[in-house]
Amino acid sequence: FDLIQDIMKYPLLIGELAPDQPSFEPSKNKKLVEDFRELRATVEKMGLLKPNRTFFLLHLCHILVLDVAAWLTIWYFGSSTMPFLFSALLLGTVQAQAGWLQHDFGHLSVFSKSKWNHWVHKFVIGHLKGAPASWWNHLHFQHHAKPNCFRKDPDVNMHPLFFALGKKLSVELGEQKKKFMPYNHQHKYFFIIGPPALVPLYFQWYIFYFVVQRKKWVDLAWMLTFYIRFFLTYLPLLGVKGILGLHLLVRFIESNWFVWITQMNHIPMHIDYDKNVDWFSTQLQATCNVRQSFFNDWFSGHLNFQIEHHLFPTMPRHNYWKVAPLVKSLCAKHGIEYHCKPLLTAFADIV
C-alpha cells in the first residue's frame, strides 16, 4: 500500500506510446479524470488529509473504557444472566468499534509516518481484536482497488457459491444453468449464514490458518496476546464453559454488527466484471452512503460516508462530511448519481 501511494505521488515512466496509439484509454472519461485530479488537489489544499489525532485518541479511550466496564460488570454483579449479557454487549461494542479504529490505522489515516500507523494497527487489530493485520491488508486493499468487481474484489467472493450477486452476474448464472444454492430463497438464508455466522464460524478460525500458512509469526503473537488477556481476566470469574460461551456470544454480536454495516454500502450497488473504467466511476457505481447523524457516524465508524472513503482512502474519517459537498457537485456535473439512504433503508436493500 505504501508503494502504491508513492507511485501515485511520483509516476514512473514505463514506456512511450506509438504515434498511432491513443494517449487515453477509451473506456475512461478523460474530463472526469481531470476534474477529479483537480478535486484531489483542492482537498489537499484544504488540509482534509490531515488528521486530528485527539479524535482518534478519544475513540481509543472510549473503547478501553468499555472493555474495562465489561469486566467490572461481571466482577461486581456476578455471572448471572443479566450481568453476563450486558458484559457481552459491551464487549461486542468494543470489538465493533475497535474494528472501525483498526480500519483507520490500516488506511494510514492517523499518523504522517506509515510505520507508526502500521505499529498501532497491529496493536488494535491484534491485541484488541485478536486478528492479523496482514490478513486485513491482503483482503481490504484488493477491495478498494476494484470494489464489486467479480474475481478481483474478495468481498464478493460469496458469488456464486452462496449467493447470486448483481443483476448481470445473476442473469449469467441463469443462462449457464448453474445453481449452487436455492438463490430464490437467499433473502431468507442470508439471516442464517450471513450476519450471525461470518465471524464466529468462519473468520474466527480462518485467520489462524492464514497466519500459520503464510508464516506471519508477528501477527500470530499479537493475536495470542488478545486471547491470553481475555482468558486470564475472565476465567477466574466464569470458568471454562462460561468464558467460551462469552467469547462465542461476543463474536456473534460483532459479526451481526460488522456484516450489516459493511454490506449496506456495497451489496445493493452495481456488481459485475471489471470494465476498466476510471477511478471515480469505479468507486461511485460500487458504493453508496447512509445519512449522517451522530449515531450513524459512531455506529458505522463513519463508513456511512462510504463514497468519500473510497475516493480518498487515506483521508481521516472526521473529514468525510467536509468533502462530501464537493463530491456531490462533481457527480452532478457529470451526471453521476450520488446514492445516500436512511440507515434502515440501507439495511433492507441488502436483502
Side-chain angles (χ1 to χ4, degrees), residues 70-134:
W71 183 86
L72 288 175
T73 297
I74 294 181
W75 174 78
Y76 185 80
F77 293 102
S79 57
S80 58
T81 301
M82 289 308 296
F84 183 88
L85 293 177
F86 185 69
S87 179
L89 180 61
L90 291 176
L91 288 173
T93 303
V94 167
Q95 289 302 302
Q97 292 298 322
W100 310 146
L101 185 61
Q102 69 82 22
H103 181 263
D104 298 316
F105 289 104
H107 274 286
L108 314 181
S109 300
V110 182
F111 296 112
S112 57
K113 293 187 177 181
S114 296
K115 64 180 180 180
W116 293 358
N117 285 289
H118 291 312
W119 287 343
V120 184
H121 185 217
K122 289 181 181 295
F123 166 76
V124 177
I125 195 173
H127 182 68
L128 296 184
K129 288 187 60 62
S134 56

Side-chain angles (χ1 to χ4, degrees), residues 218-235:
V218 173
D219 279 342
L220 179 60
W222 275 111
M223 292 166 62
L224 291 177
T225 65
F226 165 82
Y227 289 98
I228 292 171
R229 174 176 60 87
F230 184 80
F231 277 82
L232 287 179
T233 52
Y234 284 96
L235 188 61

